[in-house]
Amino acid sequence: MSIVTLLPFIVLIGAMFLMTRSAKKKQQAAQQMRNEMQAGTGVRTIGGMYATVKEIHEDTVLLEVAPGVHAIYAKNAIGAVLADEEYNRILDGADPIHGDESIVPDDASSLTGDTAGEATETGDKADKIDLGKAETPADAEAEAETEAKDVKDDKDAKDTVKADADAAKDEKKSGDDAK
């Protein structure tokens, strides 16, 4: 057999050796982290729960998951031992990573560059897009007539409601008199 035929097998065995060595180092680092854990330390479990270590036993730890609430976990279930400031930041809900950035407002005025004064001055004309069609005086008159008709219809509707209410009052009075 020549070395050329053995080369792929040698490369494969070398890659497997390197991968297992890397995984073994990670396992040893995790085991060391769990062994150096102390009571009062903040931890994150592999399930993502944050808790405080109360007691450490050979294979288990007693965690306080909420004030007065204790749970027993396997040491292998501890995913990370957190620094005190990081643990307190997570519990308080503060997020210093994004603390210096500005907050995006609810309206889009700051995104478009228009100020509030400019938008109110122009009114509805700011919302209209010129498509090349000029408004003729006939269009303006027709729009004015439509608005006047809408106002008249509103007044008629109010008058009808008022008349119905007056009729109901009169009917109620006449019904009381009949008794």
Side-chain angles (χ1 to χ4, degrees):
M1 283 204 172
S2 70
I3 192 142
V4 177
T5 39
L6 291 177
L7 188 62
F9 293 114
I10 293 171
V11 170
L12 183 62
I13 291 171
M16 288 174 47
F17 174 74
L18 291 175
M19 284 191 276
T20 56
R21 192 173 123 198
S22 173
K24 198 174 220 179
K25 280 186 178 181
K26 286 181 184 179
Q27 285 178 348
Q28 286 176 348
Q31 186 65 32
Q32 183 180 1
M33 173 209 46
R34 291 182 189 114
N35 289 336
E36 292 176 357
M37 183 172 40
Q38 298 176 358
T41 307
V43 295
R44 182 183 65 235
T45 65
I46 57 174
M49 182 178 64
Y50 293 92
T52 305
V53 176
K54 287 298 174 182
E55 296 177 11
I56 301 172
H57 301 285
E58 189 174 325
D59 293 331
T60 61
V61 289
L62 180 67
L63 300 179
E64 185 176 33
V65 294
V69 179
H70 296 88
I72 297 175
Y73 279 80
K75 270 190 177 178
N76 292 340
I78 304 301
V81 177
L82 305 172
D84 288 338
E85 57 271 355
E86 182 181 0
Y87 182 69
N88 291 332
R89 178 187 60 83
I90 291 168
L91 288 183
D92 294 340
D95 195 5
I97 296 170
H98 301 291
D100 296 340
E101 295 178 10
S102 62
I103 299 173
V104 178
D106 291 339
D107 62 347
S109 62
S110 65
L111 301 175
T112 60
D114 292 339
T115 60
E118 292 174 4
T120 55
E121 279 180 23
T122 56
D124 291 337
K125 292 185 180 185
D127 295 337
K128 292 183 181 179
I129 298 173
D130 182 21
L131 297 176
K133 178 181 173 187
E135 189 173 310
T136 62
D139 291 339
E141 288 177 17
E143 187 175 328
E145 287 177 13
T146 304
E147 289 178 11
K149 185 177 179 182
D150 290 342
V151 169
K152 183 180 176 189
D153 289 344
D154 287 344
K155 286 183 181 179
D156 290 343
K158 288 180 184 177
D159 290 342
T160 304
V161 170
K162 188 175 180 182
D164 290 344
D166 290 342
K169 282 183 184 178
D170 291 341
E171 192 174 303
K172 185 176 179 182
K173 284 182 183 179
S174 65
D176 290 342
D177 294 340
K179 289 184 180 180

